Amino acid sequence: MKKILTTAALMLASPLLWAFSAAELAQILQKPASVQGAFSQQRYLKTLPKPMSASGRFVLLPRKGLIWHMQQPFDNRLRVRADGIMQWDGKNWTGGAGNAAQGRQVGLFLDLIGGNVQALEKQFDLNVSGTPQKWTLRLMPKTALMKQIFTSVEIEGDSVVRRIGLNEKQGDRTVMRFHRVQIDGELDAAVKASFAD
């Protein structure tokens, strides 16, 4: 009997054996005020023998939006916020509120990279596995709209999102990886100005 109680106590004391929930994951990912670093992206199209690649820098302010600065294969800077996508023309942010479909895509992307689990649960069935130090979140579409676009989405990370895999209905897929990530680092003046208005 003592051996059974000791084994049970050890199992309860081991955090690796505790279930890691979507709510706990949300707390981890929404803790930083800012996340910035480098990204690489590969887009695999059924019609092309090699993936299309892009890379650059990003700055995510979870409650404000995202600066997505693609540097390769060409220079393009986007500001992604709940009110739409704007492009930097060298002097000003141009564009703005798009149509409803674009708004949904923008919202989904911000939810994915920012770990907004509550919003993702409205459109996907969530399956979290792993530990707070190394986790995987698998999303299976449950709304009619998401079922038309994706077969599944897989997100991996630790204290931040490190990889997003988007598997599309027609067979194409996109893989984004995030490198040299800084949490709550100093924001440069251009980024601060981008979210000042």
Side-chain angles (χ1 to χ4, degrees):
M1 183 68 173
K2 188 176 179 182
K3 189 174 181 181
I4 293 170
L5 288 172
T6 303
T7 303
L10 285 171
M11 288 178 69
L12 288 171
S14 175
L16 294 177
L17 298 175
W18 295 346
F20 181 48
S21 71
E24 290 169 310
L25 176 58
Q27 286 179 345
I28 291 169
L29 294 179
Q30 292 175 9
K31 190 175 180 181
S34 70
V35 180
Q36 58 187 312
F39 73 86
S40 60
Q41 176 179 308
Q42 283 76 42
R43 178 117 169 96
Y44 299 85
L45 302 176
K46 289 192 306 181
T47 54
L48 296 177
K50 291 183 178 179
M52 296 186 300
S53 296
S55 61
R57 309 255 332 139
F58 76 95
V59 179
L60 172 68
L61 304 180
R63 285 160 287 284
K64 292 189 176 181
L66 171 75
I67 300 293
W68 193 256
H69 183 189
M70 183 170 66
Q71 296 166 315
Q72 298 291 332
F74 54 87
D75 192 85
N76 185 31
R77 192 176 310 210
L78 300 175
R79 183 180 72 184
V80 183
R81 299 192 309 194
D83 61 354
I85 300 174
M86 299 187 87
Q87 186 168 1
W88 182 251
D89 67 4
K91 294 182 180 178
N92 299 298
W93 292 104
T94 60
N99 58 30
Q102 185 194 56
R104 284 192 295 270
Q105 290 173 354
V106 168
L108 174 63
F109 187 70
L110 288 174
D111 292 340
L112 288 171
I113 195 171
N116 188 349
V117 173
Q118 293 88 350
L120 293 172
E121 282 179 319
K122 294 175 184 174
Q123 303 184 75
F124 297 91
D125 289 320
L126 277 54
N127 181 350
V128 182
S129 59
T131 67
Q133 293 77 33
K134 187 177 182 182
W135 51 264
T136 300
L137 174 62
R138 288 183 179 82
L139 310 178
M140 300 301 293
K142 66 181 181 183
T143 64
L145 177 64
M146 290 300 117
K147 286 179 180 177
Q148 289 174 14
I149 303 171
F150 300 110
T151 56
S152 65
V153 177
E154 189 171 281
I155 309 170
E156 298 171 2
D158 40 54
S159 57
V160 294
V161 171
R162 298 289 179 176
R163 180 185 177 277
I164 298 175
L166 306 170
N167 301 305
E168 297 174 27
K169 187 79 172 179
Q170 75 272 19
D172 299 337
R173 63 190 179 94
T174 301
V175 177
M176 288 176 272
R177 291 183 173 85
F178 304 96
H179 321 276
R180 301 188 299 279
V181 176
Q182 270 189 304
I183 296 173
D184 295 336
E186 182 65 29
L187 301 177
D188 67 32
V191 169
K192 290 178 182 175
S194 297
F195 288 106
D197 59 349

